[in-house]
Every structure is written in structure tokens, then in C-alpha cells.
PDB file of all heavy atoms in Angstrom:
ATOM      1  N   GLN A   1     111.204  68.818 109.084  1.00 88.00           N
ATOM      2  CA  GLN A   1     110.303  69.830 109.621  1.00 88.00           C
ATOM      3  C   GLN A   1     108.956  69.774 108.912  1.00 88.00           C
ATOM      4  O   GLN A   1     107.895  69.876 109.533  1.00 88.00           O
ATOM      5  CB  GLN A   1     110.922  71.211 109.459  1.00 88.00           C
ATOM      6  CG  GLN A   1     110.081  72.341 110.046  1.00 88.00           C
ATOM      7  CD  GLN A   1     110.665  73.711 109.732  1.00 88.00           C
ATOM      8  OE1 GLN A   1     111.446  73.862 108.789  1.00 88.00           O
ATOM      9  NE2 GLN A   1     110.294  74.710 110.515  1.00 88.00           N
ATOM     10  N   ALA A   2     108.987  69.601 107.584  1.00 89.00           N
ATOM     11  CA  ALA A   2     107.748  69.529 106.810  1.00 89.00           C
ATOM     12  C   ALA A   2     106.928  68.312 107.203  1.00 89.00           C
ATOM     13  O   ALA A   2     105.696  68.392 107.303  1.00 89.00           O
ATOM     14  CB  ALA A   2     108.068  69.491 105.323  1.00 89.00           C
ATOM     15  N   GLU A   3     107.582  67.183 107.434  1.00 89.00           N
ATOM     16  CA  GLU A   3     106.849  65.981 107.822  1.00 89.00           C
ATOM     17  C   GLU A   3     106.087  66.208 109.121  1.00 89.00           C
ATOM     18  O   GLU A   3     104.937  65.792 109.262  1.00 89.00           O
ATOM     19  CB  GLU A   3     107.815  64.805 107.970  1.00 89.00           C
ATOM     20  CG  GLU A   3     107.123  63.493 108.274  1.00 89.00           C
ATOM     21  CD  GLU A   3     108.084  62.321 108.289  1.00 89.00           C
ATOM     22  OE1 GLU A   3     109.301  62.547 108.131  1.00 89.00           O
ATOM     23  OE2 GLU A   3     107.616  61.183 108.451  1.00 89.00           O
ATOM     24  N   ARG A   4     106.710  66.899 110.085  1.00 93.00           N
ATOM     25  CA  ARG A   4     106.041  67.188 111.343  1.00 93.00           C
ATOM     26  C   ARG A   4     104.842  68.115 111.142  1.00 93.00           C
ATOM     27  O   ARG A   4     103.743  67.851 111.640  1.00 93.00           O
ATOM     28  CB  ARG A   4     107.032  67.831 112.322  1.00 93.00           C
ATOM     29  CG  ARG A   4     106.393  68.205 113.667  1.00 93.00           C
ATOM     30  CD  ARG A   4     107.364  68.984 114.537  1.00 93.00           C
ATOM     31  NE  ARG A   4     107.760  70.230 113.922  1.00 93.00           N
ATOM     32  CZ  ARG A   4     107.012  71.335 113.930  1.00 93.00           C
ATOM     33  NH1 ARG A   4     105.820  71.333 114.512  1.00 93.00           N
ATOM     34  NH2 ARG A   4     107.444  72.436 113.364  1.00 93.00           N
ATOM     35  N   VAL A   5     105.047  69.202 110.401  1.00 94.00           N
ATOM     36  CA  VAL A   5     103.967  70.163 110.243  1.00 94.00           C
ATOM     37  C   VAL A   5     102.852  69.603 109.374  1.00 94.00           C
ATOM     38  O   VAL A   5     101.660  69.860 109.608  1.00 94.00           O
ATOM     39  CB  VAL A   5     104.486  71.506 109.682  1.00 94.00           C
ATOM     40  CG1 VAL A   5     104.807  71.432 108.195  1.00 94.00           C
ATOM     41  CG2 VAL A   5     103.479  72.615 109.936  1.00 94.00           C
ATOM     42  N   PHE A   6     103.192  68.775 108.395  1.00 95.00           N
ATOM     43  CA  PHE A   6     102.142  68.182 107.574  1.00 95.00           C
ATOM     44  C   PHE A   6     101.341  67.152 108.358  1.00 95.00           C
ATOM     45  O   PHE A   6     100.177  66.894 108.057  1.00 95.00           O
ATOM     46  CB  PHE A   6     102.730  67.568 106.304  1.00 95.00           C
ATOM     47  CG  PHE A   6     103.187  68.601 105.299  1.00 95.00           C
ATOM     48  CD1 PHE A   6     104.264  68.348 104.464  1.00 95.00           C
ATOM     49  CD2 PHE A   6     102.543  69.819 105.188  1.00 95.00           C
ATOM     50  CE1 PHE A   6     104.684  69.284 103.539  1.00 95.00           C
ATOM     51  CE2 PHE A   6     102.963  70.766 104.271  1.00 95.00           C
ATOM     52  CZ  PHE A   6     104.035  70.502 103.441  1.00 95.00           C
ATOM     53  N   GLY A   7     101.939  66.546 109.364  1.00 95.00           N
ATOM     54  CA  GLY A   7     101.163  65.697 110.258  1.00 95.00           C
ATOM     55  C   GLY A   7     100.093  66.493 110.976  1.00 95.00           C
ATOM     56  O   GLY A   7      98.955  66.028 111.152  1.00 95.00           O
ATOM     57  N   ARG A   8     100.431  67.707 111.398  1.00 96.00           N
ATOM     58  CA  ARG A   8      99.441  68.584 112.023  1.00 96.00           C
ATOM     59  C   ARG A   8      98.371  69.013 111.018  1.00 96.00           C
ATOM     60  O   ARG A   8      97.195  69.130 111.361  1.00 96.00           O
ATOM     61  CB  ARG A   8     100.128  69.815 112.610  1.00 96.00           C
ATOM     62  CG  ARG A   8     101.019  69.530 113.811  1.00 96.00           C
ATOM     63  CD  ARG A   8     101.279  70.803 114.589  1.00 96.00           C
ATOM     64  NE  ARG A   8     100.024  71.375 115.080  1.00 96.00           N
ATOM     65  CZ  ARG A   8      99.893  72.625 115.531  1.00 96.00           C
ATOM     66  NH1 ARG A   8     100.950  73.426 115.542  1.00 96.00           N
ATOM     67  NH2 ARG A   8      98.750  73.070 115.959  1.00 96.00           N
ATOM     68  N   VAL A   9      98.784  69.256 109.789  1.00 96.00           N
ATOM     69  CA  VAL A   9      97.820  69.602 108.735  1.00 96.00           C
ATOM     70  C   VAL A   9      96.811  68.480 108.554  1.00 96.00           C
ATOM     71  O   VAL A   9      95.594  68.714 108.481  1.00 96.00           O
ATOM     72  CB  VAL A   9      98.556  69.888 107.412  1.00 96.00           C
ATOM     73  CG1 VAL A   9      97.574  69.901 106.237  1.00 96.00           C
ATOM     74  CG2 VAL A   9      99.298  71.220 107.492  1.00 96.00           C
ATOM     75  N   GLU A  10      97.273  67.260 108.484  1.00 96.00           N
ATOM     76  CA  GLU A  10      96.374  66.123 108.286  1.00 96.00           C
ATOM     77  C   GLU A  10      95.397  65.983 109.449  1.00 96.00           C
ATOM     78  O   GLU A  10      94.224  65.677 109.255  1.00 96.00           O
ATOM     79  CB  GLU A  10      97.190  64.851 108.076  1.00 96.00           C
ATOM     80  CG  GLU A  10      97.960  64.865 106.763  1.00 96.00           C
ATOM     81  CD  GLU A  10      98.898  63.685 106.621  1.00 96.00           C
ATOM     82  OE1 GLU A  10      98.921  62.823 107.533  1.00 96.00           O
ATOM     83  OE2 GLU A  10      99.615  63.610 105.607  1.00 96.00           O
ATOM     84  N   ALA A  11      95.891  66.204 110.670  1.00 96.00           N
ATOM     85  CA  ALA A  11      95.005  66.126 111.827  1.00 96.00           C
ATOM     86  C   ALA A  11      93.934  67.214 111.760  1.00 96.00           C
ATOM     87  O   ALA A  11      92.764  66.973 112.095  1.00 96.00           O
ATOM     88  CB  ALA A  11      95.823  66.260 113.113  1.00 96.00           C
ATOM     89  N   GLU A  12      94.309  68.415 111.331  1.00 97.00           N
ATOM     90  CA  GLU A  12      93.333  69.502 111.202  1.00 97.00           C
ATOM     91  C   GLU A  12      92.309  69.203 110.115  1.00 97.00           C
ATOM     92  O   GLU A  12      91.111  69.478 110.274  1.00 97.00           O
ATOM     93  CB  GLU A  12      94.051  70.822 110.903  1.00 97.00           C
ATOM     94  CG  GLU A  12      93.142  72.041 110.837  1.00 97.00           C
ATOM     95  CD  GLU A  12      92.551  72.436 112.183  1.00 97.00           C
ATOM     96  OE1 GLU A  12      93.023  71.921 113.220  1.00 97.00           O
ATOM     97  OE2 GLU A  12      91.634  73.276 112.207  1.00 97.00           O
ATOM     98  N   LEU A  13      92.748  68.620 109.012  1.00 96.00           N
ATOM     99  CA  LEU A  13      91.810  68.264 107.944  1.00 96.00           C
ATOM    100  C   LEU A  13      90.816  67.203 108.408  1.00 96.00           C
ATOM    101  O   LEU A  13      89.630  67.258 108.056  1.00 96.00           O
ATOM    102  CB  LEU A  13      92.577  67.775 106.714  1.00 96.00           C
ATOM    103  CG  LEU A  13      93.368  68.850 105.965  1.00 96.00           C
ATOM    104  CD1 LEU A  13      94.189  68.220 104.856  1.00 96.00           C
ATOM    105  CD2 LEU A  13      92.447  69.924 105.404  1.00 96.00           C
ATOM    106  N   LEU A  14      91.275  66.267 109.200  1.00 96.00           N
ATOM    107  CA  LEU A  14      90.360  65.260 109.740  1.00 96.00           C
ATOM    108  C   LEU A  14      89.346  65.904 110.684  1.00 96.00           C
ATOM    109  O   LEU A  14      88.174  65.513 110.714  1.00 96.00           O
ATOM    110  CB  LEU A  14      91.148  64.164 110.457  1.00 96.00           C
ATOM    111  CG  LEU A  14      91.933  63.217 109.544  1.00 96.00           C
ATOM    112  CD1 LEU A  14      92.838  62.321 110.359  1.00 96.00           C
ATOM    113  CD2 LEU A  14      90.987  62.388 108.689  1.00 96.00           C
ATOM    114  N   LEU A  15      89.779  66.910 111.444  1.00 97.00           N
ATOM    115  CA  LEU A  15      88.850  67.639 112.301  1.00 97.00           C
ATOM    116  C   LEU A  15      87.814  68.384 111.469  1.00 97.00           C
ATOM    117  O   LEU A  15      86.616  68.367 111.779  1.00 97.00           O
ATOM    118  CB  LEU A  15      89.618  68.618 113.195  1.00 97.00           C
ATOM    119  CG  LEU A  15      88.769  69.523 114.093  1.00 97.00           C
ATOM    120  CD1 LEU A  15      87.906  68.698 115.044  1.00 97.00           C
ATOM    121  CD2 LEU A  15      89.666  70.485 114.865  1.00 97.00           C
ATOM    122  N   ILE A  16      88.252  69.038 110.409  1.00 97.00           N
ATOM    123  CA  ILE A  16      87.319  69.738 109.517  1.00 97.00           C
ATOM    124  C   ILE A  16      86.326  68.759 108.916  1.00 97.00           C
ATOM    125  O   ILE A  16      85.120  69.031 108.837  1.00 97.00           O
ATOM    126  CB  ILE A  16      88.096  70.477 108.413  1.00 97.00           C
ATOM    127  CG1 ILE A  16      88.937  71.605 109.035  1.00 97.00           C
ATOM    128  CG2 ILE A  16      87.153  71.028 107.352  1.00 97.00           C
ATOM    129  CD1 ILE A  16      89.968  72.185 108.088  1.00 97.00           C
ATOM    130  N   GLU A  17      86.816  67.601 108.506  1.00 95.00           N
ATOM    131  CA  GLU A  17      85.939  66.568 107.971  1.00 95.00           C
ATOM    132  C   GLU A  17      84.899  66.141 109.004  1.00 95.00           C
ATOM    133  O   GLU A  17      83.728  65.931 108.685  1.00 95.00           O
ATOM    134  CB  GLU A  17      86.780  65.358 107.552  1.00 95.00           C
ATOM    135  CG  GLU A  17      86.009  64.238 106.905  1.00 95.00           C
ATOM    136  CD  GLU A  17      85.677  64.513 105.452  1.00 95.00           C
ATOM    137  OE1 GLU A  17      86.160  65.507 104.902  1.00 95.00           O
ATOM    138  OE2 GLU A  17      84.916  63.718 104.874  1.00 95.00           O
ATOM    139  N   SER A  18      85.322  66.034 110.251  1.00 97.00           N
ATOM    140  CA  SER A  18      84.400  65.608 111.307  1.00 97.00           C
ATOM    141  C   SER A  18      83.346  66.657 111.616  1.00 97.00           C
ATOM    142  O   SER A  18      82.343  66.356 112.267  1.00 97.00           O
ATOM    143  CB  SER A  18      85.186  65.282 112.586  1.00 97.00           C
ATOM    144  OG  SER A  18      85.625  66.456 113.246  1.00 97.00           O
ATOM    145  N   GLN A  19      83.560  67.861 111.137  1.00 97.00           N
ATOM    146  CA  GLN A  19      82.599  68.931 111.374  1.00 97.00           C
ATOM    147  C   GLN A  19      81.657  69.152 110.198  1.00 97.00           C
ATOM    148  O   GLN A  19      80.456  69.360 110.397  1.00 97.00           O
ATOM    149  CB  GLN A  19      83.350  70.233 111.686  1.00 97.00           C
ATOM    150  CG  GLN A  19      84.118  70.188 113.000  1.00 97.00           C
ATOM    151  CD  GLN A  19      85.060  71.351 113.169  1.00 97.00           C
ATOM    152  OE1 GLN A  19      85.529  71.950 112.192  1.00 97.00           O
ATOM    153  NE2 GLN A  19      85.367  71.690 114.409  1.00 97.00           N
ATOM    154  N   PHE A  20      82.172  69.108 108.947  1.00 96.00           N
ATOM    155  CA  PHE A  20      81.393  69.616 107.817  1.00 96.00           C
ATOM    156  C   PHE A  20      81.139  68.626 106.684  1.00 96.00           C
ATOM    157  O   PHE A  20      80.448  68.960 105.722  1.00 96.00           O
ATOM    158  CB  PHE A  20      82.069  70.864 107.237  1.00 96.00           C
ATOM    159  CG  PHE A  20      82.195  71.974 108.239  1.00 96.00           C
ATOM    160  CD1 PHE A  20      83.435  72.418 108.664  1.00 96.00           C
ATOM    161  CD2 PHE A  20      81.067  72.572 108.769  1.00 96.00           C
ATOM    162  CE1 PHE A  20      83.553  73.432 109.590  1.00 96.00           C
ATOM    163  CE2 PHE A  20      81.166  73.594 109.701  1.00 96.00           C
ATOM    164  CZ  PHE A  20      82.412  74.022 110.114  1.00 96.00           C
ATOM    165  N   SER A  21      81.670  67.417 106.752  1.00 94.00           N
ATOM    166  CA  SER A  21      81.430  66.451 105.684  1.00 94.00           C
ATOM    167  C   SER A  21      79.978  65.985 105.684  1.00 94.00           C
ATOM    168  O   SER A  21      79.353  65.852 106.739  1.00 94.00           O
ATOM    169  CB  SER A  21      82.338  65.236 105.857  1.00 94.00           C
ATOM    170  OG  SER A  21      81.996  64.222 104.943  1.00 94.00           O
ATOM    171  N   LEU A  22      79.458  65.712 104.491  1.00 93.00           N
ATOM    172  CA  LEU A  22      78.144  65.091 104.362  1.00 93.00           C
ATOM    173  C   LEU A  22      78.252  63.580 104.182  1.00 93.00           C
ATOM    174  O   LEU A  22      77.235  62.912 103.982  1.00 93.00           O
ATOM    175  CB  LEU A  22      77.386  65.694 103.176  1.00 93.00           C
ATOM    176  CG  LEU A  22      76.797  67.092 103.386  1.00 93.00           C
ATOM    177  CD1 LEU A  22      76.271  67.648 102.075  1.00 93.00           C
ATOM    178  CD2 LEU A  22      75.699  67.069 104.438  1.00 93.00           C
ATOM    179  N   HIS A  23      79.455  63.040 104.274  1.00 89.00           N
ATOM    180  CA  HIS A  23      79.671  61.633 103.941  1.00 89.00           C
ATOM    181  C   HIS A  23      80.335  60.850 105.074  1.00 89.00           C
ATOM    182  O   HIS A  23      80.778  59.719 104.872  1.00 89.00           O
ATOM    183  CB  HIS A  23      80.494  61.532 102.652  1.00 89.00           C
ATOM    184  CG  HIS A  23      79.883  62.291 101.523  1.00 89.00           C
ATOM    185  ND1 HIS A  23      78.768  61.846 100.839  1.00 89.00           N
ATOM    186  CD2 HIS A  23      80.193  63.499 100.997  1.00 89.00           C
ATOM    187  CE1 HIS A  23      78.439  62.735  99.920  1.00 89.00           C
ATOM    188  NE2 HIS A  23      79.286  63.745  99.992  1.00 89.00           N
ATOM    189  N   THR A  24      80.422  61.450 106.246  1.00 91.00           N
ATOM    190  CA  THR A  24      80.877  60.746 107.441  1.00 91.00           C
ATOM    191  C   THR A  24      79.914  61.120 108.566  1.00 91.00           C
ATOM    192  O   THR A  24      79.017  61.934 108.389  1.00 91.00           O
ATOM    193  CB  THR A  24      82.312  61.157 107.829  1.00 91.00           C
ATOM    194  OG1 THR A  24      82.318  62.549 108.192  1.00 91.00           O
ATOM    195  CG2 THR A  24      83.284  60.928 106.686  1.00 91.00           C
ATOM    196  N   ASP A  25      80.121  60.545 109.730  1.00 94.00           N
ATOM    197  CA  ASP A  25      79.280  60.888 110.878  1.00 94.00           C
ATOM    198  C   ASP A  25      79.778  62.196 111.490  1.00 94.00           C
ATOM    199  O   ASP A  25      80.262  62.243 112.620  1.00 94.00           O
ATOM    200  CB  ASP A  25      79.305  59.766 111.919  1.00 94.00           C
ATOM    201  CG  ASP A  25      78.328  60.029 113.066  1.00 94.00           C
ATOM    202  OD1 ASP A  25      77.301  60.685 112.828  1.00 94.00           O
ATOM    203  OD2 ASP A  25      78.610  59.584 114.195  1.00 94.00           O
ATOM    204  N   SER A  26      79.644  63.261 110.711  1.00 96.00           N
ATOM    205  CA  SER A  26      80.138  64.567 111.123  1.00 96.00           C
ATOM    206  C   SER A  26      79.091  65.302 111.954  1.00 96.00           C
ATOM    207  O   SER A  26      77.928  64.884 112.056  1.00 96.00           O
ATOM    208  CB  SER A  26      80.476  65.401 109.890  1.00 96.00           C
ATOM    209  OG  SER A  26      79.281  65.715 109.173  1.00 96.00           O
ATOM    210  N   ALA A  27      79.524  66.434 112.518  1.00 98.00           N
ATOM    211  CA  ALA A  27      78.580  67.282 113.242  1.00 98.00           C
ATOM    212  C   ALA A  27      77.454  67.740 112.320  1.00 98.00           C
ATOM    213  O   ALA A  27      76.291  67.814 112.737  1.00 98.00           O
ATOM    214  CB  ALA A  27      79.310  68.488 113.831  1.00 98.00           C
ATOM    215  N   LEU A  28      77.776  68.031 111.062  1.00 98.00           N
ATOM    216  CA  LEU A  28      76.747  68.462 110.116  1.00 98.00           C
ATOM    217  C   LEU A  28      75.752  67.339 109.820  1.00 98.00           C
ATOM    218  O   LEU A  28      74.531  67.573 109.782  1.00 98.00           O
ATOM    219  CB  LEU A  28      77.405  68.934 108.817  1.00 98.00           C
ATOM    220  CG  LEU A  28      76.466  69.386 107.705  1.00 98.00           C
ATOM    221  CD1 LEU A  28      75.569  70.522 108.169  1.00 98.00           C
ATOM    222  CD2 LEU A  28      77.258  69.774 106.466  1.00 98.00           C
ATOM    223  N   VAL A  29      76.244  66.136 109.642  1.00 98.00           N
ATOM    224  CA  VAL A  29      75.349  64.998 109.408  1.00 98.00           C
ATOM    225  C   VAL A  29      74.438  64.779 110.605  1.00 98.00           C
ATOM    226  O   VAL A  29      73.229  64.522 110.460  1.00 98.00           O
ATOM    227  CB  VAL A  29      76.168  63.729 109.084  1.00 98.00           C
ATOM    228  CG1 VAL A  29      75.300  62.475 109.182  1.00 98.00           C
ATOM    229  CG2 VAL A  29      76.776  63.836 107.686  1.00 98.00           C
ATOM    230  N   ARG A  30      74.964  64.891 111.794  1.00 98.00           N
ATOM    231  CA  ARG A  30      74.143  64.713 112.991  1.00 98.00           C
ATOM    232  C   ARG A  30      73.103  65.824 113.118  1.00 98.00           C
ATOM    233  O   ARG A  30      71.952  65.564 113.517  1.00 98.00           O
ATOM    234  CB  ARG A  30      75.033  64.651 114.240  1.00 98.00           C
ATOM    235  CG  ARG A  30      75.965  63.439 114.255  1.00 98.00           C
ATOM    236  CD  ARG A  30      76.585  63.227 115.626  1.00 98.00           C
ATOM    237  NE  ARG A  30      77.394  64.349 116.066  1.00 98.00           N
ATOM    238  CZ  ARG A  30      78.677  64.530 115.746  1.00 98.00           C
ATOM    239  NH1 ARG A  30      79.294  63.647 114.941  1.00 98.00           N
ATOM    240  NH2 ARG A  30      79.346  65.567 116.211  1.00 98.00           N
ATOM    241  N   LEU A  31      73.489  67.048 112.776  1.00 98.00           N
ATOM    242  CA  LEU A  31      72.530  68.146 112.787  1.00 98.00           C
ATOM    243  C   LEU A  31      71.402  67.889 111.794  1.00 98.00           C
ATOM    244  O   LEU A  31      70.216  68.059 112.115  1.00 98.00           O
ATOM    245  CB  LEU A  31      73.240  69.459 112.454  1.00 98.00           C
ATOM    246  CG  LEU A  31      72.350  70.689 112.241  1.00 98.00           C
ATOM    247  CD1 LEU A  31      71.553  71.026 113.488  1.00 98.00           C
ATOM    248  CD2 LEU A  31      73.201  71.883 111.789  1.00 98.00           C
ATOM    249  N   ASN A  32      71.746  67.468 110.590  1.00 98.00           N
ATOM    250  CA  ASN A  32      70.720  67.179 109.581  1.00 98.00           C
ATOM    251  C   ASN A  32      69.819  66.023 110.006  1.00 98.00           C
ATOM    252  O   ASN A  32      68.612  66.037 109.756  1.00 98.00           O
ATOM    253  CB  ASN A  32      71.382  66.864 108.235  1.00 98.00           C
ATOM    254  CG  ASN A  32      71.984  68.087 107.568  1.00 98.00           C
ATOM    255  OD1 ASN A  32      71.686  69.226 107.942  1.00 98.00           O
ATOM    256  ND2 ASN A  32      72.830  67.861 106.579  1.00 98.00           N
ATOM    257  N   ARG A  33      70.392  65.029 110.662  1.00 98.00           N
ATOM    258  CA  ARG A  33      69.625  63.852 111.090  1.00 98.00           C
ATOM    259  C   ARG A  33      68.726  64.157 112.285  1.00 98.00           C
ATOM    260  O   ARG A  33      67.552  63.774 112.300  1.00 98.00           O
ATOM    261  CB  ARG A  33      70.600  62.727 111.447  1.00 98.00           C
ATOM    262  CG  ARG A  33      69.947  61.412 111.887  1.00 98.00           C
ATOM    263  CD  ARG A  33      70.991  60.497 112.473  1.00 98.00           C
ATOM    264  NE  ARG A  33      71.558  61.043 113.711  1.00 98.00           N
ATOM    265  CZ  ARG A  33      72.826  60.831 114.104  1.00 98.00           C
ATOM    266  NH1 ARG A  33      73.649  60.102 113.371  1.00 98.00           N
ATOM    267  NH2 ARG A  33      73.253  61.354 115.244  1.00 98.00           N
ATOM    268  N   ASP A  34      69.263  64.857 113.257  1.00 98.00           N
ATOM    269  CA  ASP A  34      68.559  65.050 114.521  1.00 98.00           C
ATOM    270  C   ASP A  34      67.801  66.369 114.599  1.00 98.00           C
ATOM    271  O   ASP A  34      66.948  66.542 115.483  1.00 98.00           O
ATOM    272  CB  ASP A  34      69.545  64.987 115.693  1.00 98.00           C
ATOM    273  CG  ASP A  34      70.306  63.667 115.743  1.00 98.00           C
ATOM    274  OD1 ASP A  34      69.783  62.658 115.213  1.00 98.00           O
ATOM    275  OD2 ASP A  34      71.432  63.656 116.292  1.00 98.00           O
ATOM    276  N   GLY A  35      68.137  67.301 113.719  1.00 98.00           N
ATOM    277  CA  GLY A  35      67.490  68.608 113.759  1.00 98.00           C
ATOM    278  C   GLY A  35      68.077  69.544 114.794  1.00 98.00           C
ATOM    279  O   GLY A  35      67.608  70.686 114.925  1.00 98.00           O
TER     280      GLY A  35
END
């Protein structure tokens, strides 16, 4: 059960990274680049 739910946790963390990281092509990086 934990393996299944932790898979969902990892997917959510990757989504958070795609939104707020300054070190990937995230939404925040695109906002800073494009204004």
C-alpha cells in the first residue's frame, strides 16, 4: 500500500517542481524569463 501511495507522492513532488523550481524549466522560470 505504501509503495502505491508513495508513487503518487513522487508524482506530486514532480508537479510541484515543475511549478516552483528555479533550476528546471518550471512555470516560475518561464515567468521570470518571459515576464
Side-chain angles (χ1 to χ4, degrees):
Q1 182 186 21
E3 184 175 4
R4 178 187 62 80
V5 75
F6 288 148
R8 292 199 60 196
V9 166
E10 292 173 2
E12 184 69 13
L13 290 174
L14 288 171
L15 176 60
I16 294 167
E17 183 79 7
S18 75
Q19 294 169 334
F20 300 116
S21 172
L22 284 171
H23 306 285
T24 64
D25 186 30
S26 67
L28 178 58
V29 166
R30 296 193 299 275
L31 172 61
N32 288 345
R33 181 192 65 212
D34 302 335

